[in-house]
Amino acid sequence: MAQANLEQQLAQAVQQLEVDLSPQRQALLLQYLAQMQRWNRTYNLTAIRDAGQMLVQHVVDSLAVVAPLQKALQGREGATIVDVGSGGGLPGVVIAVACPHWTVHCVDAVEKKIAFVRQMSGVLGLANLHAVHGRVEAMPPLQADVVVSRAFASLLDFATLAGGHARPDGMLMAMKGRHPEEEITALQSQGNWRVKSVQQLQVPGLDAQRCLVWLEPADTNSTVA
């Protein structure tokens, strides 16, 4: 797909998603896409090779969580986001571009993928983006306002492995496809986290179901709009 077409498609998606993203920040996302394509030839960051498909299925799909995160974190200045099982930085890099006032940690156990994220922090000039190599369950707590996962694990495994990285008043947010009824049932068997809400998403250009599953500590009485 020609660069001009990518620019137009991204601009339309930004408008549809109602994300406040300047042309300069949109250009950073396209630069990230180009770097992903380049590194993909050697490091196999993603099975998708076509630039247009990568834009929709990776960049725009990740961008779709920005507005919900911003709404959930209203009133929290300088929030910390932890993206577990981040791979090549999805959605962490996209969140870091869209929300430069937040600190974003991308965590993955695969060194080559974290090396790419580390490179993106420098190439894109993202001082708020941090690449962390290691197993999420073996790390000291990162004290996140929200721990995010995309295609990382079941809800129960996500909560078990990554729940310790949330602040006492923090949340977990899992990006899912269809409504994960069986995973929600399995999660209810443990007492530390519970489903607060399931939020349907419309991803521009993507003909597939998407939803966000918000988890909160089981002993909290707080609510998130």
Side-chain angles (χ1 to χ4, degrees), residues 31 84 147 155 175 208 223:
Q31 191 177 347
V84 299
V147 182
L155 291 176
M175 300 171 65
T223 59

Side-chain angles (χ1 to χ4, degrees), residues 8-95:
Q8 182 180 18
Q9 189 170 355
L10 177 59
Q12 289 174 344
V14 167
Q15 186 175 18
Q16 288 178 260
L17 292 169
E18 299 181 347
V19 177
D20 184 11
L21 202 63
S22 69
Q24 292 80 11
R25 291 273 149 183
Q26 292 181 40
L28 287 180
L29 290 179
L30 292 175
Q31 191 177 347
Y32 169 54
L33 177 64
Q35 290 287 334
M36 202 186 310
Q37 279 190 291
R38 183 176 303 167
W39 279 60
N40 215 24
R41 300 184 190 117
T42 305
Y43 291 94
N44 194 31
L45 298 172
T46 169
I48 302 173
R49 294 291 189 266
D50 177 75
Q53 290 183 348
M54 289 174 74
L55 176 68
V56 172
Q57 296 187 39
H58 289 328
V59 176
V60 176
D61 189 47
S62 296
L63 199 59
V65 308
V66 170
L69 277 171
Q70 289 172 333
K71 184 176 181 181
L73 291 171
Q74 279 181 343
R76 298 197 192 197
E77 294 298 324
T80 296
I81 308 295
V82 173
D83 173 18
V84 299
S86 184
L90 298 161
V93 172
V94 175
I95 294 170

Side-chain angles (χ1 to χ4, degrees), residues 26-213:
Q26 292 181 40
L28 287 180
L29 290 179
L30 292 175
Q31 191 177 347
Y32 169 54
L33 177 64
Q35 290 287 334
M36 202 186 310
Q37 279 190 291
R38 183 176 303 167
W39 279 60
N40 215 24
R41 300 184 190 117
T42 305
Y43 291 94
N44 194 31
L45 298 172
T46 169
I48 302 173
R49 294 291 189 266
D50 177 75
Q53 290 183 348
M54 289 174 74
L55 176 68
V56 172
Q57 296 187 39
H58 289 328
V59 176
V60 176
D61 189 47
S62 296
L63 199 59
V65 308
V66 170
L69 277 171
Q70 289 172 333
K71 184 176 181 181
L73 291 171
Q74 279 181 343
R76 298 197 192 197
E77 294 298 324
T80 296
I81 308 295
V82 173
D83 173 18
V84 299
S86 184
L90 298 161
V93 172
V94 175
I95 294 170
V97 169
C99 305
H101 54 294
W102 292 351
T103 299
V104 180
H105 299 277
C106 290
V107 180
D108 202 277
V110 180
E111 170 60 34
K112 65 182 180 181
K113 294 182 178 179
I114 284 302
F116 172 70
V117 174
R118 193 175 295 118
Q119 179 77 0
M120 290 307 94
S121 178
V123 168
L124 304 178
L126 299 174
N128 64 322
L129 176 64
H130 305 278
V132 185
H133 175 236
R135 302 194 67 83
V136 65
E137 67 272 22
M139 295 176 182
L142 289 169
Q143 295 296 311
D145 293 274
V146 182
V147 182
V148 179
S149 75
R150 178 180 187 263
F152 169 63
S154 69
L155 291 176
L156 178 57
D157 287 347
F158 174 39
T160 302
L161 296 174
H165 289 287
R167 289 171 28 169
D169 61 346
M171 300 168 280
L172 307 184
M173 186 195 78
M175 300 171 65
K176 295 289 182 178
R178 295 177 182 274
H179 190 286
E181 199 64 51
E182 291 184 5
E183 291 186 27
I184 291 172
T185 300
L187 179 73
Q188 292 171 345
S189 68
Q190 62 84 44
N192 294 329
W193 292 87
R194 67 185 180 198
V195 174
K196 175 166 182 53
S197 63
V198 180
Q199 182 178 4
Q200 298 300 318
L201 286 184
Q202 285 294 120
V203 179
L206 188 64
D207 185 21
Q209 294 185 41
R210 287 288 187 271
C211 69
L212 300 180
V213 182

